[in-house]
């Protein structure tokens, strides 16, 4: 036999063995050969090794065709090197071994009479003793639930420090460290039922359902994917993320790409511990995902390469007797979830909230709600999790050693980083304005040259030509006031379209709506690099914003000043107060 033929028959042999529905005892997968897999009968799912990022470690996973993992042997940190293997032993165990031959994970199913292993078309890996299933991946979930998997009250999903559990009363819960409960969703309170043996299941259409005989129709809908019923062939699945949020995703077979279609917490910063101990979760204008930072310059990150690992004090409180002060964090709270003892919750004023914590040696931080309740929460635990957002009606205090050193306002850092981008924005602005003016001149000239004698156009002015140009549509006008509004509109829209931040630029549909006057046009923010350079107390922002527009639209109404104007205005002001209060707190 020629070597090629031999290779070909070997290839055929592997194809045949890997595609067969049952896995025979003695079969092995090796990490060195990721193409080697155990597939489900119709190839919807497969068991195989996958590389962790670009590292030399591998995890053993069950995957949806295309590479979306739905189950992991052990957990995400259970990895082997490239000499690792996954074996179905004649004794009935599934075993993950690393290169040195040590057992990294075991199904612990020896001596249960297991005769076969198989992976079905729903993604369930099962060990059977001939008649019944003695072990299955669906009964031992890791961080994912797929359709046809019945999740019961004694099961748990785990991801890093986060736990998802389904309670016997029908509540769904998320906990940090299996103790602090930061999400607890119950049944509709108008429904009075005592459940008997509820199970949680995800339907193919993307509906998350609780099944129990106590429900009048046998089931209860908890949540639905936002692509419900769109393309019946998509796989929807639920996953507890490493960031502590619980989400539903949707994926098409063979693509390997996933789309989020539902999430338990809409505000990621409400996930306890997302930014680690002493970490502060914030949103910034340039991205919708939250950032983790430290409360002030009295702190430093635990790991400079991973801001989610939290912060530590540069000088510990213990080595600071009699010299501690309270750092003030405006619009900030320390997340407050059960279990919380009564001795940690008070109803007193803002300054008492600060002083109480300062005087108690066990207290490390406090949060005072300014929502009218006057509630004060003292934080005595070893682990606190912060959230700062201009919309939060609360002020928080953190004990630090010596003088409080607030973070510099975020704008200053950016302004330094983006001097070049400031120049670029100016160039773009000038080019756009010159081009616009040039086109207006050319259009006006053309009109004057060809139509000056035509009685039909005799009454039209250059405004109409500009409007025709700007809107791209023939002008049919009767009333001159409306015309100038449309010109203003077109120019305002053009300013939105040249925003530095892609996220701030409107979509094409929105542009059309704004041009047609269907949706309102807010005043566009002045370009970022320009506004942020102007933070220390000057008013370049507002004057440049208004003057840029008033050049073109003297009559443009400005009922609501632009949102970015407001938010930019908030942060320097807040941090200014911050400095003031922090220093006043140093006074005896
Ligand atoms: C294999 O696992 C053992 C025990 O967990 C560990 O000591 C060893 O370093 C691992 N070897 C490799 C090559 O990863
Ligand atoms: C594979 O089988 C499952 C379960 O019967 C079915 O839902 C799915 O549509 C099948 N997929 C293909 C590609 O035939
Ligand atoms: C398989 O396991 C079930 C339950 O553990 C047991 O009732 C049954 O007798 C076993 N069957 C065989 C063939 O061992
Ligand atoms: C889940 O529960 C349903 C209904 O009780 C049952 O038909 C189905 O076989 C179960 N699925 C698994 C994988 O056990
Ligand atoms: C992963 O599994 C190991 C034991 O195999 C365990 O020590 C570790 O705590 C687990 N980690 C997570 C995040 O579940
Ligand atoms: C995590 O939980 C364990 C008990 O479940 C507790 O002993 C430990 O202190 C907790 N960790 C933190 C940082 O709270
Ligand atoms: C179940 O969730 C509801 C909120 O939806 C909550 O009020 C109730 O206390 C929860 N029950 C338990 C036992 O956690
Ligand atoms: C609870 O059920 C009532 C009556 O079925 C319904 O009107 C209400 O919208 C439900 N509430 C929620 C939050 O789903
Ligand atoms: C549920 O159980 C409680 C106590 O066990 C009982 O008081 C209540 O009437 C029950 N509710 C229903 C709807 O059965
Ligand atoms: C951070 O990353 C850099 C480069 O990747 C590395 O040199 C440094 O040691 C890392 N620092 C920590 C604390 O891990
Ligand atoms: C208190 O802090 C100041 C500087 O902030 C330092 O000079 C002084 O030595 C400290 N006193 C004590 C008792 O630590
Ligand atoms: C804003 O968020 C982006 C992405 O998360 C980050 O790279 C950037 O440093 C953040 N800017 C500030 C001022 O924190």
């Amino acid at each position: 036999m020629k070597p090629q033929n031999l290779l070909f028959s070997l290839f055929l042999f592997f194809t045949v063995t890997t595609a067969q529905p049952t896995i025979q005892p003695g079969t092995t997968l090796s990490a060195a050969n990721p193409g080697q897999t155990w597939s489900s009968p119709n190839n919807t799912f497969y068991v195989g090794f996958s590389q962790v990022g670009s590292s030399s470690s591998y995890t053993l996973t069950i995957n949806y065709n295309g590479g979306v993992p739905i189950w992991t042997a052990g957990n995400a940190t259970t990895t082997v090197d490239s000499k690792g293997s996954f074996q179905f032993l004649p004794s009935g165990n599934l075993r993950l071994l690393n290169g040195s031959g040590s057992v990294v994970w075991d199904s612990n199913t020896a001596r249960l009479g297991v005769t076969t292993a198989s992976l079905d078309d729903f993604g369930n890996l099962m060990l059977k003793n001939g008649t019944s299933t003695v072990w299955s991946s669906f009964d031992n979930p890791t961080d994912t639930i797929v359709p046809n998997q019945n999740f019961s009250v004694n099961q748990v999903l785990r991801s890093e420090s986060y736990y998802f559990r389904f309670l016997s009363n029908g509540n769904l819960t998320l906990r940090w460290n299996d103790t602090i409960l930061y999400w607890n969703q119950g049944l509709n309170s108008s429904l009075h039922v005592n459940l008997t043996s509820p199970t949680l299941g995800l339907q193919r259409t993307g509906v998350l359902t609780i099944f129990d005989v106590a429900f009048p129709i046998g089931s209860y809908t908890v949540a639905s994917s936002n692509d419900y019923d769109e393309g019946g062939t998509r796989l929807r699945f639920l996953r507890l993320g490493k960031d502590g949020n619980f989400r539903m995703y949707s994926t098409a077979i063979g693509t390997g790409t996933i789309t989020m279609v539902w999430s338990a917490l809409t505000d990621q910063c409400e996930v306890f511990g997302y930014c680690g101990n002493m970490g502060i979760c914030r949103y910034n204008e340039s991205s919708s995902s939250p950032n983790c930072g430290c409360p002030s310059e009295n702190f430093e990150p635990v790991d400079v390469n991973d801001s989610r690992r939290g912060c530590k004090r540069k000088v510990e409180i213990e080595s600071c007797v009699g010299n501690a002060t309270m750092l003030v964090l405006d619009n900030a709270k320390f997340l407050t979830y059960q279990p919380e003892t009564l001795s940690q919750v008070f109803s007193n004023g803002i300054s008492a909230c600060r002083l109480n914590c300062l005087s108690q040696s066990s207290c490390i931080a406090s949060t005072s709600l300014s929502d009218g309740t006057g509630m004060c929460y003292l934080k005595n635990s070893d682990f606190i999790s912060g959230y700062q957002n201009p919309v939060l009606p609360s002020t928080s205090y953190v004990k630090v050693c010596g003088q409080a050193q607030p973070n510099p306002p975020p704008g200053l850092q950016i302004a330094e980083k983006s001097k070049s981008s400031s120049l670029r924005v100016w160039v773009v602005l000038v080019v756009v304005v010159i081009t616009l003016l040039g086109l207006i001149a050319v259009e006006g000239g053309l009109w004057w040259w060809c139509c000056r004698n035509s009685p039909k156009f005799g009454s039209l002015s250059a405004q109409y030509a500009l409007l025709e140009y700007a809107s791209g549509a023939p002008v049919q006008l009767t009333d001159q006031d409306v015309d100038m509004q449309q010109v203003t509109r077109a120019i305002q829209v053009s300013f939105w379209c040249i925003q530095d931040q892609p996220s701030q630029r409107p979509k094409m549909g929105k542009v059309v709506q704004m041009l047609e006057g269907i949706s309102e046009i807010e005043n566009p923010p002045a370009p970022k690099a320009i506004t942020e350079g102007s933070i220390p107390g000057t008013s370049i922002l507002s004057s440049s914003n208004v003057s840029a527009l008033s050049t073109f639209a003297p009559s443009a109404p400005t009922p609501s000043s632009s949102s970015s104007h407001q938010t930019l205005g908030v942060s320097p002001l807040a941090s200014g107060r911050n400095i003031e209060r922090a220093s006043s707190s140093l006074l005896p």
Side-chain angles (χ1 to χ4, degrees):
M1 205 192 257
K2 283 185 188 169
Q4 291 97 317
N5 288 353
L6 182 68
L7 273 178
F8 183 65
S9 10
L10 270 177
F11 172 74
L12 259 187
F13 172 73
F14 272 114
T15 318
V16 170
T17 52
T18 56
Q20 73 186 15
T22 59
I23 302 150
Q24 296 307 316
T27 319
T28 294
L29 295 174
S30 82
N33 187 357
Q36 197 181 24
T37 57
W38 298 334
S39 288
S40 73
N42 74 9
N43 286 316
T44 305
F45 290 91
Y46 65 90
V47 181
F49 279 101
S50 35
Q51 202 169 352
V52 180
S54 56
S55 69
S56 58
S57 21
Y58 297 80
T59 53
L60 188 283
T61 50
I62 300 176
N63 305 281
Y64 188 55
N65 185 331
V68 176
I70 62 152
W71 182 84
T72 308
N75 57 45
T77 59
T78 312
T79 58
V80 295
D81 54 21
S82 62
K83 294 196 180 66
S85 61
F86 187 61
Q87 306 177 344
F88 176 38
L89 302 176
S91 62
N93 289 31
L94 286 170
R95 207 171 247 187
L96 182 63
L97 303 168
N98 77 4
S100 64
S102 55
V103 178
V104 176
W105 177 85
D106 196 310
S107 62
N108 294 319
T109 46
R111 292 187 297 276
L112 291 178
V114 173
T115 51
T116 56
S118 63
L119 177 68
D120 73 11
D121 284 327
F122 301 112
N124 194 11
L125 178 62
M126 291 168 286
L127 297 178
K128 290 186 175 159
N129 71 353
T131 49
S132 61
T133 302
V134 300
W135 181 94
S136 74
S137 58
F138 276 10
D139 288 336
N140 295 271
T142 51
D143 59 3
T144 305
I145 300 174
V146 293
N148 286 81
Q149 177 174 349
N150 298 323
F151 192 82
S152 66
V153 293
N154 46 32
Q155 291 174 349
V156 59
L157 299 185
R158 217 189 139 178
S159 190
E160 304 217 324
S161 312
Y162 298 105
Y163 292 75
F164 168 80
R165 286 179 195 276
F166 173 50
L167 308 184
S168 57
N169 66 350
N171 278 28
L172 308 183
T173 61
L174 289 173
R175 282 188 176 85
W176 175 84
N177 193 24
D178 217 6
T179 47
I180 292 181
L181 180 68
Y182 59 90
W183 185 71
N184 188 4
Q185 179 172 309
L187 304 178
N188 186 332
S189 54
S190 68
L191 199 66
H192 300 286
V193 289
N194 290 336
L195 304 185
T196 50
S197 60
T199 58
L200 184 68
L202 179 63
Q203 300 182 32
R204 303 225 135 241
T205 49
V207 178
L208 178 59
T209 308
I210 297 173
F211 297 96
D212 192 277
V213 290
F215 292 119
I217 54 165
S219 67
Y220 173 86
T221 297
V222 180
S224 307
S225 75
N226 63 22
D227 72 342
Y228 172 78
D229 233 15
E230 223 176 77
T233 60
R234 297 183 74 88
L235 175 79
R236 274 80 174 202
F237 61 93
L238 290 155
R239 181 179 288 163
L240 175 60
K242 288 179 182 161
D243 61 6
N245 210 337
F246 187 54
R247 302 188 178 89
M248 196 190 299
Y249 296 91
S250 169
T251 178
I253 195 161
T255 60
T257 56
I258 62 175
T259 313
M260 189 193 77
V261 291
W262 173 82
S263 70
L265 287 104
T266 48
D267 186 344
Q268 179 63 36
C269 283
E270 298 280 355
V271 172
F272 191 87
Y274 173 69
C275 286
N277 192 14
M278 303 296 317
I280 308 283
C281 188
R282 303 181 178 100
Y283 293 94
N284 75 20
E285 291 180 65
S286 52
S287 89
S288 58
S289 55
N291 285 290
C292 293
C294 293
S296 73
E297 301 213 321
N298 303 76
F299 293 82
E300 60 192 3
V302 170
D303 180 348
V304 289
N305 295 331
D306 183 1
S307 60
R308 281 199 53 205
R309 299 279 313 279
C311 300
K312 58 175 190 284
R313 287 185 180 79
K314 290 177 182 165
V315 181
E316 288 304 328
I317 291 295
E318 292 76 33
S319 52
C320 187
V321 185
N323 225 357
T325 53
M326 297 306 280
L327 166 83
V328 183
L329 293 169
D330 280 309
N331 305 108
K333 65 176 176 182
F334 288 103
L335 298 182
T336 285
Y337 296 116
Q338 301 291 333
E340 206 152 43
T341 64
L342 278 176
S343 65
Q344 294 172 317
V345 187
F346 294 92
S347 175
N348 56 18
I350 283 199
S351 67
C353 193
R354 181 177 70 81
L355 290 170
N356 270 357
C357 186
L358 185 60
S359 62
Q360 291 184 17
S361 62
S362 62
C363 182
I364 55 171
S366 62
T367 291
S368 173
L369 298 188
S370 15
D371 60 359
T373 59
M375 294 306 283
C376 169
Y377 297 87
L378 299 187
K379 299 287 164 188
N380 302 333
S381 59
D382 304 333
F383 192 104
I384 62 172
S385 177
Y387 179 12
Q388 190 165 33
N389 190 329
V391 304
L392 292 179
S394 57
T395 303
S396 290
Y397 306 91
V398 193
K399 204 178 272 180
V400 295
C401 185
Q403 199 168 354
Q405 300 166 310
N407 290 328
L412 289 179
Q413 295 163 332
I414 293 184
E416 272 173 31
K417 275 189 221 146
S418 59
K419 283 207 173 104
S420 60
S421 102
S422 148
L423 187 69
R424 208 185 65 222
V425 169
W426 271 114
V427 170
V428 170
L429 255 181
V430 169
V431 167
V432 166
V433 167
I434 289 179
T435 312
L436 257 172
L437 290 176
L439 281 167
I440 291 168
V442 168
E443 192 93 357
L446 271 176
W447 169 80
W448 184 82
W449 184 75
C450 63
C451 309
R452 61 189 188 276
N453 293 328
S454 156
K456 189 180 169 202
F457 293 101
S459 62
L460 290 180
S461 71
Q463 284 172 9
Y464 297 90
L466 170 62
L467 182 53
E468 281 211 12
Y469 171 73
S471 66
V475 187
Q476 300 166 353
L477 302 159
T478 51
D479 178 11
Q480 253 184 270
D481 290 341
V482 182
D483 307 347
M484 271 325 286
Q485 274 180 18
Q486 268 192 301
V487 174
T488 310
R489 218 189 280 286
I491 291 170
Q492 281 180 307
V493 170
S494 72
F495 272 91
W496 273 112
C497 295
I498 57 161
Q499 287 299 308
D500 202 32
Q501 288 305 316
S503 61
Q504 288 191 316
R505 296 178 203 145
K507 294 226 165 69
M508 216 46 223
K510 176 85 176 169
V511 168
V512 172
Q513 288 183 343
M514 290 198 288
L515 281 173
E516 290 182 346
I518 295 170
S519 79
E520 273 202 30
I521 313 178
E522 283 183 74
N523 281 350
K528 208 170 172 47
I530 303 171
T531 57
E532 276 161 353
S534 68
I535 265 163
T538 66
S539 59
I540 297 175
L541 162 63
S542 42
S543 59
S544 73
N545 201 354
V546 169
S547 63
L549 283 167
S550 56
T551 312
F552 297 99
S555 64
T558 51
S560 62
S561 68
S562 82
S563 57
S564 79
H565 184 150
Q566 285 173 344
T567 49
L568 273 172
V570 163
S571 42
L573 192 72
S575 46
R577 263 188 289 144
N578 203 352
I579 296 166
E580 195 181 286
R581 283 208 215 160
S583 44
S584 74
S585 72
L586 286 174
L587 298 173

